[in-house]
Amino acid sequence: MRMRVGLGLVVLISVFAFAVPRGWAQQKVPPKPFDLIEWNGGKFIFGVDYYPEHWEESQWEKDAAMMQAAGINFVRLAEFAWVKMEPAEGRFDLAWLDRALKVLNAHGIKAVLGTPTASPPAWLMAKYPDIAAMDENGVRYRYGSRRNYCLHNPNFIAATRRIVTAMAEHYKKHPGVIGWQIDNELGEPYCYDAVCRAAFQKWCRVKYQSLDALNKAWGTIFWGHTYLSWAEIPLPWNTLYKAFNPSLALDYRRFHSEATRDYLRLQVDILRQIAPGQAITHNAMGMYDGIDYSDLHTVLDFVAWDNYPMFADQANYAGPGLSHDLMRGTKPKQNFMVMEQQSGLPGWTTFWGRQAAPGLFRVWDYQSVAHGADGVCHFRWRTSRYGTEQYWQGILDQDSYPNARYQTVSRTGKELGQLTDLLRGSRVVSSVALLVSPDTRWAFQIQPPVKDFNYNQQLHHYYDAFRHAGISVDVLFPRSDFSKYKVIVAPALFVLDESLVEKLTTFVKNGGTLVLSYRTGVKDQHNVFTNQTLPGPLAELAGVAIHDYDPQVGQEQEVVATDGTHWPARVWFDILDPTTAQTLATYGKGYYAGKAAATLNRLGNGTVFYIGTEFSSPEPYARLVDFIAKEAGLPQLAGLPQGVEFAVREKPGKKIIFLLNYTENPQKVTLDRPYQNALTGESEAAEVPIPAFDVKVLTNR
Ligand code: GAL
């Protein structure tokens, strides 16, 4: 009986919440920043990815009741259900989805609907076989997987418009549908068919205006590849020796990223026109580097992404941490949400990881929140009985037993409900930023300097050192605003254009600290090698000249600091000739022993570090961070144990501290003073104990 009264109230509240016109719902473009908690009717988003079409209808009510009991107030639905919604061309059946929504809404659960274009139905692909993307060998992908379509195919575009319009018309005023997820994990495949080739040729024409300009920019005189008509321009497909022009290859990646954004925008435009009161997002992939997310996300109301931390060392929080921060940085003035949060073992053809202790799933949920998520939606509610993902665990297993993962999720759901008022309006605030360049990432995909080189590892060396010192890090892109930071770390900034050089120069001239590392300033914006002395256009800022370098495949060097400490180093050795910089460390071995390996250059109030190599251990990075933090006046947290993360969200007058223990041992962290436990309301001593696989959320009174 109590339950019935409760449900009635929930329904009343949700209908009322929808009937009250929210400010942004009346406008064409929602004002920024987007407030996810307001969007979800004042509730912290706590959800599951749910596939009602995989289960008997008789199961839906039981599922919804179990979800509600776990504090779940949000679902994502339908992103792979195209065939069920449009079983034949132009014939729609949304009645089943209406029924599923009715059951879920009655339990206080709101929905985001996925547009289903990531998995076109078999009938569509059979009728229009040219929808399938073509691989680099000229073979179209055969039916049977997903994400197998060509972005430019006119039949696919027409089919996309039809299904998105039908869904938008049907759900534009539905009180239980608060928004949309476009497609699913946009990115690949690259397509090499004639339609894409013609689209690329058109893109080149718009960009370069004349063939002379293109030939010059790409240096096509090399091997005599000069193009005399636009129609001659190839794609970077499979050629003999896999040889292709790196300039063409970089432009093709830019083209693909922009085409993906335009395909997303095509869907966004339909939804904005028909359903202006509903918000729009997409589920991005964290560190995935095929797409420039800083561009893609300009089209969306808010960022959502898919967080699967179980592939790595489970105590290494910096992996998912950097992904969260990078995702937050793609739309920097607001918080984001996790649309797929790992809830069990990963696997397709086999299991791909080892099981995590149930408590870790709660720690990962809190990590998302600590890095700025105002919503966590779990992939998936229940493990599938069918298809490719039978080994990819949801919260429940196929038998629906309320297992330990369900108990853990229920606990987190209740706690986040309790913490909502505190969290609302709070954000991550950082003085340090890591600069990630999409052009550089693509150029390294095309031509990595050596086999052992890994750009993300470069980012992690610096990022991890700051995080282990308890210092928050934002991620910037070349288009971001650099002005509010004290420190910018820009590892291996391979591709530079004039505007980026200018922004970095201004940053240093205004007193900022810039950290550069090897392979910086090597290429211009066309992926053409500079003819300036390295580090090219940043040589003056860095105060060094590089007249020789030594890529060492599988070898270790030795770096000697001025205080005599020795550190092993690997992958690459820039041999530095300081012009105005001072030497911080030299090489210990080989023909360049005694030459500079790391330098520091002062320019007015600004400082530029140049680190010419990659250290094999974390200590030198920790020392560098300690030095920078002291100079820039950044507070550090000493003695943070391995496997324990310290993260902070702030709002006026409030500091919210998250202490996250990813290890199987109880740990202790000593803070600057005692804080209040935000969940129990009790005071905690400055030395805070954190049980194994557990979390403390603390705040000032
Ligand atoms: C994600 C994807 C989901 C599901 C999950 C597990 O990348 O968005 O649809 O496939 O992985 O494989």
Side-chain angles (χ1 to χ4, degrees):
M1 190 60 197
R2 250 187 101 196
M3 179 85 163
R4 277 173 178 277
V5 173
L7 289 185
L9 197 66
V10 169
V11 172
L12 199 73
I13 289 170
S14 25
V15 169
F16 181 69
F18 188 79
V20 174
R22 284 186 225 117
W24 66 266
Q26 305 304 306
Q27 302 167 17
K28 206 145 190 229
V29 183
K32 310 233 173 320
F34 187 89
D35 182 339
L36 281 119
I37 298 177
E38 179 191 339
W39 172 61
N40 195 38
K43 292 181 189 166
F44 193 92
I45 298 168
F46 196 66
V48 289
D49 300 305
Y50 185 46
Y51 300 89
E53 69 274 23
H54 295 184
W55 308 96
E56 297 295 334
E57 280 201 39
S58 56
Q59 180 70 37
W60 296 355
E61 173 60 36
K62 292 180 234 163
D63 283 342
M66 249 178 119
M67 287 178 198
Q68 187 177 26
I72 285 159
N73 54 45
F74 177 97
V75 281
R76 181 195 61 186
L77 303 172
E79 82 280 8
F80 293 113
W82 193 342
V83 73
K84 199 153 164 76
M85 295 188 285
E86 190 183 4
E89 191 163 353
R91 183 158 68 74
F92 298 100
D93 176 9
L94 294 163
W96 65 275
L97 190 52
D98 294 345
R99 293 196 298 277
L101 280 163
K102 196 167 170 199
V103 172
L104 292 158
N105 293 165
H107 286 270
I109 299 167
K110 303 268 186 181
V112 151
L113 300 182
T115 67
T117 44
S119 194
W123 64 255
L124 184 68
M125 304 288 278
K127 182 158 181 194
Y128 306 106
D130 59 354
I131 285 180
M134 187 176 273
D135 73 12
E136 55 181 2
N137 294 312
V139 179
R140 289 202 187 274
Y141 291 103
R142 286 178 292 186
Y143 189 76
S145 186
R146 62 177 179 179
R147 299 223 48 75
N148 44 356
Y149 59 83
C150 162
L151 278 174
H152 294 96
N153 182 277
N155 293 316
F156 189 61
I157 305 253
T160 297
R161 287 187 191 284
R162 198 170 54 230
I163 184 68
V164 176
T165 304
M167 289 179 79
E169 285 292 356
H170 191 83
Y171 289 110
K172 62 186 174 193
K173 295 231 166 89
H174 195 295
V177 175
I178 56 175
W180 300 88
Q181 172 191 296
I182 307 286
D183 202 283
N184 191 81
E185 296 188 338
L186 287 162
E188 276 153 48
Y190 292 107
C191 175
Y192 300 86
D193 75 2
V195 181
C196 283
R197 185 179 179 192
F200 180 59
Q201 289 164 346
K202 193 168 154 204
W203 184 92
C204 290
R205 204 172 183 147
V206 171
K207 175 165 180 176
Y208 292 101
Q209 307 282 307
S210 77
L211 280 166
D212 268 0
L214 174 139
N215 282 315
K216 195 157 170 258
W218 289 2
T220 54
I221 193 58
F222 186 80
W223 283 354
H225 285 170
T226 302
Y227 304 112
L228 302 179
S229 101
W230 295 101
E232 289 167 8
I233 296 173
L235 297 178
W237 43 41
N238 201 2
T239 60
L240 185 62
Y241 318 125
K242 301 211 177 287
F244 44 79
N245 181 322
S247 305
L248 178 153
L250 176 58
D251 266 341
Y252 179 71
R253 279 171 168 73
R254 290 173 173 141
F255 156 78
H256 179 75
S257 183
E258 288 177 24
T260 304
R261 178 206 60 206
D262 292 346
Y263 177 69
L264 175 131
R265 182 148 53 198
L266 178 146
Q267 299 200 24
V268 166
D269 287 349
I270 296 171
L271 292 167
R272 290 227 191 279
Q273 202 192 348
I274 301 175
Q278 292 164 337
I280 304 174
T281 192
H282 167 65
N283 57 335
M285 292 182 278
M287 299 301 288
Y288 172 73
D289 56 3
I291 301 289
D292 176 359
Y293 284 131
S294 71
D295 178 36
L296 189 91
H297 290 168
T298 56
V299 184
L300 303 173
D301 290 318
F302 64 90
V303 172
W305 81 281
D306 298 345
N307 180 27
Y308 290 102
M310 269 173 84
F311 293 105
D313 166 10
Q314 296 180 355
N316 180 11
Y317 58 82
L322 177 54
S323 303
H324 282 302
D325 294 343
L326 185 144
M327 288 283 96
R328 193 180 67 243
T330 59
K331 216 167 174 61
K333 296 202 171 71
Q334 58 186 45
N335 286 344
F336 63 93
M337 75 170 282
V338 175
M339 194 57 93
E340 296 181 14
Q341 173 86 20
Q342 189 145 22
S343 304
L345 275 168
W348 275 14
T349 45
T350 180
F351 283 119
W352 289 338
R354 66 193 169 92
Q355 188 58 281
L360 253 184
F361 293 102
R362 176 166 161 268
V363 182
W364 282 320
D365 274 6
Y366 272 102
Q367 181 186 32
S368 304
V369 178
H371 284 258
D374 275 350
V376 185
C377 183
H378 300 82
F379 186 87
R380 45 192 282 162
W381 170 241
R382 182 173 36 237
T383 320
S384 182
R385 294 185 57 212
Y386 315 113
T388 305
E389 294 184 6
Q390 295 170 37
Y391 280 177
W392 199 290
Q393 279 186 322
I395 298 171
L396 303 179
D397 279 320
Q398 288 86 347
D399 65 356
S400 302
Y401 178 76
N403 57 21
R405 295 194 303 279
Y406 175 79
Q407 305 301 339
T408 305
V409 166
S410 308
R411 175 176 175 195
T412 317
K414 282 177 199 108
E415 289 172 354
L416 288 173
Q418 198 187 326
L419 293 172
T420 306
D421 286 346
L422 176 66
L423 292 170
R424 195 160 177 182
S426 67
R427 312 213 41 230
V428 175
V429 179
S430 314
S431 300
V432 175
L434 198 59
L435 177 63
V436 173
S437 151
D439 280 348
T440 283
R441 291 170 114 189
W442 290 324
F444 280 140
Q445 285 171 10
I446 296 162
Q447 288 177 301
V450 283
K451 218 170 68 270
D452 289 355
F453 176 81
N454 179 332
Y455 180 72
N456 287 350
Q457 200 171 66
Q458 281 294 299
L459 300 176
H460 269 296
H461 286 315
Y462 298 91
Y463 176 85
D464 296 12
F466 278 104
R467 297 296 298 129
H468 292 155
I471 297 173
S472 262
V473 179
D474 282 354
V475 172
L476 297 177
F477 297 88
R479 67 176 70 226
S480 313
D481 176 7
F482 294 3
S483 62
K484 79 170 187 97
Y485 296 94
K486 288 187 174 166
V487 179
I488 295 180
V489 185
L493 200 50
F494 195 47
V495 178
L496 280 174
D497 63 18
E498 276 174 25
S499 87
L500 186 52
V501 172
E502 206 178 296
K503 278 176 91 167
L504 292 171
T505 308
T506 309
F507 171 74
V508 174
K509 291 212 163 121
N510 289 339
T513 297
L514 176 64
V515 182
L516 302 171
S517 79
Y518 69 89
R519 296 277 82 190
T520 286
V522 177
K523 300 281 198 127
D524 72 9
Q525 74 268 34
H526 299 299
N527 209 7
V528 165
F529 217 102
T530 181
N531 57 4
Q532 300 176 38
T533 295
L534 295 180
L538 294 181
E540 210 183 308
L541 217 56
V544 294
I546 299 162
H547 299 296
D548 194 9
Y549 42 72
D550 182 17
Q552 289 257 321
V553 183
Q555 303 278 336
E556 281 206 335
Q557 242 288 5
E558 187 179 62
V559 171
V560 187
T562 40
D563 67 0
T565 20
H566 286 227
W567 299 309
R570 55 189 288 278
V571 183
W572 189 274
F573 311 106
D574 271 340
I575 303 161
L576 306 177
D577 277 328
T579 49
T580 55
Q582 72 189 77
T583 298
L584 296 178
T586 53
Y587 290 109
K589 295 189 202 165
Y591 72 92
Y592 47 92
K595 288 281 212 174
T599 57
L600 177 161
N601 197 33
R602 304 274 187 200
L603 289 119
N605 291 330
T607 307
V608 181
F609 290 87
Y610 192 96
I611 312 299
T613 187
E614 180 163 338
F615 298 107
S616 313
S617 67
E619 290 82 26
Y621 294 104
R623 280 182 59 154
L624 180 71
V625 161
D626 182 56
F627 184 89
I628 292 172
K630 283 184 178 134
E631 281 219 335
L634 305 174
Q636 301 184 61
L637 186 68
L640 201 56
Q642 279 293 325
V644 177
E645 186 175 12
F646 165 85
V648 180
R649 283 174 64 148
E650 295 176 37
K651 62 181 179 183
K654 278 279 169 209
K655 190 168 171 183
I656 308 161
I657 296 175
F658 298 82
L659 296 175
L660 307 146
N661 183 358
Y662 300 84
T663 75
E664 58 189 1
N665 303 311
Q667 306 276 3
K668 278 184 185 152
V669 174
T670 306
L671 298 175
D672 55 342
R673 64 176 186 78
Y675 287 88
Q676 184 188 26
N677 185 315
L679 282 167
T680 64
E682 282 162 18
S683 180
E684 297 256 2
E687 189 182 64
V688 190
I690 318 140
F693 302 127
D694 210 335
V695 172
K696 285 271 165 83
V697 184
L698 307 171
T699 186
N700 49 340
R701 279 182 197 276

